[in-house]
Amino acid sequence: YPGRNMAKYHSIVQVLEERIEHGDYLINDFPSERKLAAETGVSHMTARKVTQVLLEKGLLQRMENGRLAASSSRQESAAQIAFVSPAYPSLLNYKWMGNVISACADRDIQIRPFEYKHFNDVVLPQILESVDGVFFVSKAEALPPELISMFQEADAFVVSLDNDMSMHGIPSVLCHLPSSIDQLLAHLKGLGHQHVMAFNAQPEDSTIMDRLMRLRQAGHELGLTVEVQSWPVESFGNSLPQAKKALRQILDEGPLQATAIVAVTESASIGVIRVLYERGIRVPEDISVCCVANEGQCESYIPAITTFQETDIKSLVSQALKDMITRSWQGDLLLTPATVSLFQGESTSKAKA
């Protein structure tokens, strides 16, 4: 059946072209002709013809040891970028990834997403050895010194997203301004709130601890009483049910003294509002709720949660990508939005007398 064999031959070429162009072999070896034949169910001769076509197209190269290695047909093939994030669902991580992919597409740069499960995951050094640039999203734990050193010494240009690693000499991009917390507390004070609960259900990584510390400091400067309630979920745990569980326990111990709750993450604010509804505590009539970090749902929630306007993440990522490609970071190692505007939702109102 020559026609059928030819169709399968072209299909295999097309599949392998797509895999190479999407970076599937950045950290995985391209199969030998024998393995390729076994994988695709064709003869060794057909597999050899397939690899020969890919070699002629410049998508494969034969190494000195005879092995095949994937390359790229893109003009800017030297710029192979990885987006590396923890292996758990997160709307914010998806937002970062979408903007990184879009920024790379604008420059016709190859981008490949990867996930890791722990900081000693073998995939991390493999990625650093295989690509030219890495956008790295940290999981909710403090980075071990060994991983920081690995980033500092890597040939790949590493940029940290949503976690300030600039003090270690690693360029970092934040979509929130730490000082914006002052603006949020000033808004609550203007509504007559004097006692505020700072609420957390995420693991206490450096970002979360910085937010809690800023809430304490800004609250003190504004003359507010800030009560910190931090109930961190275990690593890779779901912070939404943890937030609900924590607030239920707090309410079981007695009525709240605070007239406003400031959640340090969006999921915590959603969990808080749900539990308050269950207990017959009205938002915002009985208590105000707001959120430090807008991860995309605050404005669509009922009631809309007071937070900050979403920032233009893509413009920040595009600037970081440009510096990553040139391997020359311009300006301060910490890249943040110039300004952040308050979104006054329906979840805050004047303090109850």
Side-chain angles (χ1 to χ4, degrees):
Y1 306 99
R4 183 181 300 173
N5 290 339
M6 185 59 67
K8 187 163 188 178
Y9 159 80
H10 285 299
S11 174
I12 296 170
V13 171
Q14 184 178 3
V15 167
L16 293 175
E17 285 180 344
E18 187 173 356
R19 287 180 181 176
I20 292 170
E21 289 296 337
H22 284 84
D24 289 16
Y25 298 109
L26 281 178
I27 65 171
N28 297 310
D29 293 334
F30 190 87
S32 65
E33 292 170 352
R34 190 175 301 280
K35 287 184 177 180
L36 182 61
E39 177 189 336
T40 58
V42 298
S43 67
H44 186 213
M45 184 177 296
T46 300
R48 177 164 294 179
K49 289 180 180 178
V50 168
T51 58
Q52 185 59 40
V53 168
L54 297 175
L55 284 164
E56 292 172 358
K57 289 187 174 185
L59 294 173
L60 285 182
Q61 54 183 326
R62 195 173 291 279
M63 311 302 287
E64 292 183 0
N65 59 10
R67 292 183 179 179
L68 295 167
S71 56
S72 174
S73 64
R74 298 172 186 257
Q75 293 181 352
E76 211 165 351
S77 58
Q80 293 185 328
I81 309 299
F83 176 85
V84 184
S85 61
Y88 58 74
S90 164
L91 288 176
L92 185 57
N93 289 354
Y94 293 150
K95 185 182 294 186
W96 279 114
M97 180 171 66
N99 282 281
V100 169
I101 290 174
S102 179
C104 287
D106 288 346
R107 301 179 68 96
D108 195 30
I109 294 173
Q110 190 178 70
I111 172 71
R112 176 72 180 183
F114 294 95
E115 291 184 335
Y116 66 95
K117 293 184 177 179
H118 51 86
F119 285 137
N120 293 315
D121 199 318
V122 68
V123 74
L124 293 177
Q126 288 178 342
I127 294 169
L128 291 171
E129 293 170 2
S130 305
V131 301
D132 300 285
V134 174
F135 284 102
F136 181 77
V137 180
S138 176
K139 70 190 187 80
E141 288 179 0
L143 271 72
E146 297 78 13
L147 184 58
I148 295 173
S149 296
M150 189 187 303
F151 287 164
Q152 293 169 331
E153 298 166 5
D155 290 333
F157 195 102
V158 179
V159 173
S160 173
L161 300 178
D162 208 41
N163 184 20
D164 183 7
M165 297 180 65
S166 59
M167 71 289 293
H168 302 296
I170 298 171
S172 306
V173 182
L174 301 181
C175 59
H176 307 107
L177 283 171
S179 59
S180 60
I181 289 175
D182 305 31
Q183 187 179 352
L184 193 61
L185 289 180
H187 171 66
L188 291 175
K189 182 177 180 179
L191 292 173
H193 296 279
Q194 290 297 318
H195 192 139
V196 176
M197 177 191 292
F199 183 80
N200 171 56
Q202 284 281 112
E204 293 177 335
D205 63 357
S206 59
T207 300
I208 295 300
M209 295 306 295
D210 286 347
R211 291 175 185 176
L212 292 173
M213 187 180 303
R214 188 76 185 193
L215 282 164
R216 288 193 192 97
Q217 179 182 345
H220 176 74
E221 293 171 356
L222 289 168
L224 302 177
T225 299
V226 177
E227 166 196 351
V228 175
Q229 289 285 351
S230 186
W231 299 63
V233 70
E234 71 278 3
S235 183
F236 285 87
N238 190 335
S239 62
L240 178 56
Q242 174 70 4
K244 293 190 288 186
K245 177 183 176 182
L247 188 58
R248 288 184 186 119
Q249 291 187 31
I250 293 170
L251 290 171
D252 286 343
E253 294 175 2
L256 299 179
Q257 300 300 311
T259 59
I261 299 177
V262 180
V264 299
T265 62
E266 185 178 80
S267 60
S269 65
I270 292 173
V272 162
I273 291 175
R274 177 63 202 181
V275 172
L276 294 173
Y277 172 80
E278 293 173 356
R279 297 297 178 96
I281 303 172
R282 299 170 301 167
V283 176
E285 293 86 355
D286 299 327
I287 190 168
S288 290
V289 178
C290 51
C291 175
V292 168
N294 184 358
E295 299 171 20
Q297 297 187 95
C298 286
E299 297 176 27
S300 301
Y301 201 72
I302 300 176
I305 301 170
T306 295
T307 183
F308 298 99
Q309 301 281 0
E310 290 191 74
T311 55
D312 184 3
I313 292 179
K314 185 177 176 181
S315 66
L316 297 172
V317 168
S318 296
Q319 182 177 338
L321 178 63
K322 176 179 175 292
D323 293 347
M324 179 182 286
I325 294 168
T326 60
R327 304 186 69 83
S328 176
W329 191 264
Q330 302 297 315
D332 194 279
L333 284 176
L334 179 60
L335 183 60
T336 63
T339 59
V340 176
S341 300
L342 186 70
F343 169 74
Q344 297 185 34
E346 302 151 350
S347 64
T348 52
S349 66
K350 291 184 178 181
K352 189 176 181 180

